[in-house]
Amino acid sequence: MLFETIKIALRSLFNNKMRTFLSMLGIIIGVGAVIAVISIAVSSREQVTSSISQMGSNLITISPGFRRGRFGGFGSSADNIFTMELGESIVNYCPAVKAVAPNNQTSGYLIAAENNYRVNIVGTTIDYLEINNYSVASGKFFSQYDLDNATDVMVLGSELAEELFGRQSPLGNKITFYYNNQRLVFKIIGVMEEKGMGITGNLNGSAYIPISTYLNKISGSRHIDSFFAQANSSEEAKLAVSQIDYLLFKYTGDRNEYRLMSQDQLLDTINQVTVTMTLMLSGIAGISLLVGGIGIMNIMLVSVTERTREIGIRKALGAKRKHILSQFIVEALTLSSIGGIIGIFIGYFIAYGVANMGGWVLVISLPTVLLAFGFSLIVGLFFGIYPAFKASKLDPVIALSYE
Amino acid sequence: MLRVENLTKVYKNGEIEVEALRGVSFEVKTGEMLAIMGPSGSGKSTLMHLLGCLDTPTGGRYILDGNDVSNLKEDQLAEIRNKYIGFVFQQFNLLSRTSVLHNVEVPLIYNGVRKRERREIAKEMLEKVGLGERLHHNTNEISGGQKQRVAIARALVNNPSLLLADEPTGNLDSRTEKEIMEIFLQLHQQGHTIILVTHEKSIARYAQRIIYLVDGRISREEVVRDAV
Ligand SMILES: Nc1ncnc2c1ncn2[C@@H]1O[C@H](COP(=O)(O)OP(=O)(O)OP(=O)(O)O)[C@@H](O)[C@H]1O
Ligand SMILES: [Mg+2]
């Protein structure tokens, strides 16, 4: 009997193709949006978190607080303590910290032959490599000798090397750094390997010079913008953070004077943001599903009115209430499930397109698909029941005389 | 076969009450063919709806095959309609946008008959009314006379004990009218119990007996010919 009911329902849907399609549209859009939104959110988060965790979870950044340099005059006291000596103190007084590297950055133009390129120059020490789990691909990194003597040597990020020299090896070339109407000439001694993004930003587009050279010739001050610290292990990352915090609080007496951020915290923040965003967007998609359901109810009500006579005929021929009820419920369920399936495909293609553009791997989770599909069925059932109930309650004599 | 006793039907529309039937009593024997005549608004269709279990009477009793069906529930009435009663309407009342064959199958579906058997019975019935060649035509692709044949086949498909026809030739020309009435006559001769409503004496004369309704009451009865 159920099989017959489904066939009757399908037949009537097929007979009204246009109306069938229109009534499915809401569900199609709703389910499509849910699938697309969730897949895009999950895929992009996967992308970001995987490149962050590539960098190791024991990385901590230390930087002055937001009050730095307010009123253009004296900065906070943190300004005075953010010097190379602070890095040494941290290594000496925080046992959970393995290494500390300064991270001074400024942007300017690098000019090699006819190419010039806007870049970030990073002044740091050798420990930068280990802390960032970063290494040289060709040539070498600057040495303790370069640091002690503030030599004019430079190591290029992979993207930068390619951009400026193409396939040729940049090693041994002179390069001009143009900054603040100043020209500084560096000798290129190495090219870094390619690296994912993390809290340190895009490393591949940067150029690296000794911190001593940076302080002497570029910034002309003793100030360090920020430090990277590495904990002994990821288990000790939290401990390292609290030890550094203790030390800095002792120096400054104010937690607003400095900021500590670990990879773990960053991951947490990103997860929180994406979860919130996913929830919000899913909510919107859910509302469109609901609207789709109301659309189905609307069409079903029209359909019941339009087919009053058919209902009368069926009743005269012996259809019981349950027959009419199930016929219309199956119709609504068919509408919503076909709409749901089409929506899943459309959502998938949208997510696929976006993932392609973003250059990340598309993650489609089966639970998401099942959830969206199940929800569309529930919507179909919920909004199909009332019209079906109305149809089943029609009086046969009145229904038969309906024009 | 069936007996009605003092049957009344009152339609209530808010304050207005319409007494469509004011106490109708008669009996129909198995195998009999009865015609009901009367002016417009005299209650013929109302009576047919009650006899067909599409509606329940306000008062009186209706005994069908020895059972009182005056106060049954909706779904019980549906079952009686399905198994014991066949309808033929003036407006044909076929399901549109489906095939002739499917229309005839509908009562069998609600009777729970399996697909293959259903096909067989429906085909057989359509052949009986001369539509064996039109099984897969859409119902809007056939003539009025053919539609009424489909309706007759559909009415007979569950082998009902009672065949009800409310002005079955009302929408047909005189030649088709004769063809349809010949089918009813044949069915009568095969032993079917038939009640038909008509405006025309020439049609009523196919029956053995005519009941005249006026204003919701039986005004007189006329025997046309003896039972076959
Ligand atoms: N659903 C209804 N609600 C209210 N009044 C009704 C209803 N159906 C029929 N009537 C009234 O009951 C009376 C009998 O109607 P019925 O349809 O039985 O007449 P009829 O003899 O079949 O007429 P016709 O020859 O025109 O078909 C009429 O006065 C009609 O207006
Ligand atoms: Mg009538």
Side-chain angles (χ1 to χ4, degrees):
Chain A
M1 193 61 225
L2 179 69
F3 184 63
E4 284 308 325
T5 314
I6 293 174
K7 263 174 69 183
I8 290 171
L10 282 177
R11 193 193 295 263
S12 106
L13 290 176
F14 189 75
N15 283 335
N16 283 295
K17 291 183 204 69
M18 189 62 190
R19 194 172 70 189
T20 301
F21 173 72
L22 286 177
S23 52
M24 285 190 311
L25 207 56
I27 293 285
I28 293 176
I29 293 171
V31 171
V34 169
I35 300 281
V37 163
I38 294 182
S39 304
I40 290 169
V42 169
S43 307
S44 61
R45 187 181 60 193
E46 202 86 338
Q47 169 78 11
V48 172
T49 53
S50 85
S51 60
I52 286 175
S53 40
Q54 237 182 49
M55 313 206 54
S57 58
N58 43 4
L59 182 69
I60 300 154
T61 55
I62 306 154
S63 49
F66 295 108
R67 299 215 316 227
R68 192 161 74 100
R70 205 160 53 150
F71 307 125
F74 300 103
S76 68
S77 56
D79 245 9
N80 307 325
I81 65 152
F82 268 77
T83 60
M84 285 304 283
E85 286 72 38
L86 178 62
E88 280 160 30
S89 307
I90 290 171
V91 177
N92 291 337
Y93 297 121
C94 304
V97 175
K98 191 174 171 192
V100 172
N103 176 42
N104 274 25
Q105 297 200 6
T106 189
S107 59
Y109 289 91
L110 270 184
I111 304 159
E114 64 265 33
N115 296 326
N116 70 69
Y117 203 66
R118 194 176 167 79
V119 298
N120 245 3
I121 290 275
V122 178
T124 187
T125 58
I126 305 165
D127 285 335
Y128 188 87
L129 295 185
E130 199 200 329
I131 292 172
N132 279 304
N133 192 18
Y134 202 22
S135 60
V136 174
S138 66
K140 57 184 172 53
F141 206 67
F142 45 79
S143 60
Q144 193 56 47
Y145 175 84
D146 295 314
L147 283 164
D148 290 344
N149 297 289
T151 58
D152 297 332
V153 293
M154 178 179 279
V155 180
L156 299 179
S158 62
E159 192 185 312
L160 195 55
E162 207 180 303
E163 213 55 57
L164 286 166
F165 294 94
R167 289 169 174 277
Q168 284 174 335
S169 169
L171 299 182
N173 278 306
K174 297 274 180 196
I175 195 161
T176 307
F177 179 59
Y178 186 78
Y179 156 79
N180 245 358
N181 291 327
Q182 263 182 295
R183 281 166 190 276
L184 292 167
V185 177
F186 289 90
K187 184 182 167 202
I188 298 168
I189 57 167
V191 175
M192 302 304 294
E193 61 164 356
E194 214 178 303
K195 189 88 168 96
M197 299 248 283
I199 51 177
T200 44
N202 182 8
L203 299 177
N204 302 325
S206 302
Y208 304 90
I209 61 172
I211 184 68
S212 48
T213 314
Y214 187 101
L215 296 177
N216 289 347
K217 298 184 176 165
I218 295 181
S219 70
S221 88
R222 298 178 61 233
H223 178 72
I224 300 297
D225 296 342
S226 65
F227 287 99
F228 289 143
Q230 187 186 27
N232 289 329
S233 65
S234 49
E235 288 79 41
E236 283 186 55
K238 276 204 168 63
L239 183 63
V241 168
S242 60
Q243 288 172 353
I244 297 169
D245 183 52
Y246 179 80
L247 188 72
L248 283 168
F249 189 71
K250 220 170 79 180
Y251 285 168
T252 61
D254 184 355
R255 287 223 153 71
N256 290 319
E257 301 281 0
Y258 57 90
R259 279 185 300 152
L260 294 177
M261 169 99 102
S262 66
Q263 289 275 39
D264 277 347
Q265 278 172 309
L266 185 68
L267 280 178
D268 281 355
T269 311
I270 287 172
N271 278 336
Q272 263 169 27
V273 169
T274 46
V275 164
T276 313
M277 228 171 63
T278 310
L279 280 179
M280 205 176 72
L281 291 172
S282 306
I284 294 169
I287 288 171
S288 73
L289 252 181
L290 213 68
V291 172
I294 294 169
I296 285 192
M297 177 153 82
N298 207 347
I299 297 283
M300 292 298 297
L301 283 174
V302 170
S303 167
V304 167
T305 309
E306 234 179 50
R307 285 153 64 194
T308 300
R309 202 180 179 92
E310 175 193 327
I311 295 161
I313 295 170
R314 290 187 181 279
K315 287 202 159 185
L317 297 178
K320 292 181 182 166
R321 281 185 66 162
K322 64 173 185 199
H323 295 137
I324 304 294
L325 193 71
S326 50
Q327 177 185 342
F328 281 87
I329 285 179
V330 167
E331 243 177 65
L333 282 179
T334 310
L335 276 178
S336 57
S337 59
I338 293 177
I341 288 170
I342 297 175
I344 286 171
F345 278 102
I346 289 180
Y348 173 78
F349 280 115
I350 292 172
Y352 182 79
V354 172
N356 244 357
M357 281 193 303
W360 64 66
V361 182
L362 182 62
V363 183
I364 295 274
S365 72
L366 188 66
T368 307
V369 172
L370 293 181
L371 192 83
F373 185 68
F375 195 50
S376 70
L377 279 188
I378 290 170
V379 163
L381 186 67
F382 182 78
F383 288 102
I385 279 179
Y386 173 67
F389 187 70
K390 220 180 140 195
S392 75
K393 262 180 48 181
L394 283 173
D395 181 285
V397 174
I398 293 170
L400 272 172
S401 58
Y402 184 84
E403 291 302 325
Chain B
M1 159 80 221
L2 75 81
R3 190 170 81 242
V4 294
E5 294 167 4
N6 202 22
L7 215 54
T8 60
K9 181 72 190 177
V10 180
Y11 291 111
K12 255 194 211 136
N13 276 335
E15 291 294 293
I16 312 155
E17 286 194 358
V18 181
E19 283 187 83
L21 292 177
R22 301 164 191 256
V24 174
S25 306
F26 62 88
E27 208 172 317
V28 179
K29 295 204 165 52
T30 303
E32 199 180 357
M33 185 163 174
L34 172 76
I36 298 170
M37 289 194 73
S40 191
S42 57
K44 305 183 295 293
S45 295
T46 304
L47 180 57
M48 287 299 255
H49 292 149
L50 294 182
L51 294 177
C53 290
L54 282 167
D55 210 348
T56 46
T58 312
R61 297 212 309 157
Y62 174 22
I63 315 290
L64 178 64
D65 270 340
N67 303 309
D68 189 343
V69 295
S70 334
N71 293 308
L72 292 184
K73 295 246 158 47
E74 207 184 311
D75 276 355
Q76 295 172 310
L77 291 176
E79 192 159 343
I80 292 177
R81 290 196 293 272
N82 183 252
K83 296 208 165 89
Y84 303 104
I85 293 163
F87 289 101
V88 177
F89 301 94
Q90 178 176 357
Q91 301 90 341
F92 318 125
N93 279 340
L94 300 182
L95 296 180
S96 56
R97 290 193 270 221
T98 54
S99 72
V100 162
L101 189 62
H102 178 72
N103 262 275
V104 179
E105 281 182 60
V106 171
L108 294 165
I109 294 177
Y110 293 129
N111 199 5
V113 179
R114 296 216 156 257
K115 179 163 177 157
R116 184 177 294 175
E117 199 184 342
R118 216 161 66 204
R119 277 275 137 96
E120 287 305 309
I121 301 173
K123 265 187 200 164
E124 197 181 309
M125 277 303 158
L126 281 164
E127 275 158 18
K128 241 181 170 170
V129 295
L131 281 177
E133 311 285 291
R134 294 278 189 278
L135 299 180
H136 301 290
H137 278 62
N138 221 308
T139 49
N140 50 18
E141 296 167 352
I142 55 175
S143 73
Q146 287 169 332
K147 280 183 189 169
Q148 206 56 306
R149 286 162 194 256
V150 176
I152 292 171
R154 189 177 65 181
L156 293 174
V157 88
N158 271 334
N159 198 20
S161 27
L162 178 61
L163 189 58
L164 298 175
D166 194 346
E167 306 204 33
T169 60
N171 283 357
L172 302 175
D173 60 43
S174 54
R175 197 175 61 85
T176 331
E177 176 181 285
K178 194 159 182 299
E179 283 171 19
I180 295 296
M181 287 319 296
E182 288 299 331
I183 295 176
F184 276 111
L185 196 58
Q186 251 177 37
L187 291 171
H188 168 53
Q189 281 159 359
Q190 287 163 12
H192 286 275
T193 311
I194 301 170
I195 302 177
L196 66 93
V197 164
T198 181
H199 270 115
E200 293 176 55
K201 192 68 190 252
S202 61
I203 300 220
R205 286 195 156 278
Y206 280 89
Q208 296 165 298
R209 188 156 61 104
I210 306 173
I211 286 177
Y212 288 90
L213 269 187
V214 175
D215 219 7
R217 287 196 181 88
I218 296 180
S219 68
R220 66 191 174 91
E221 247 187 81
E222 180 183 335
V223 175
V224 181
R225 55 198 159 84
D226 286 334
V228 184

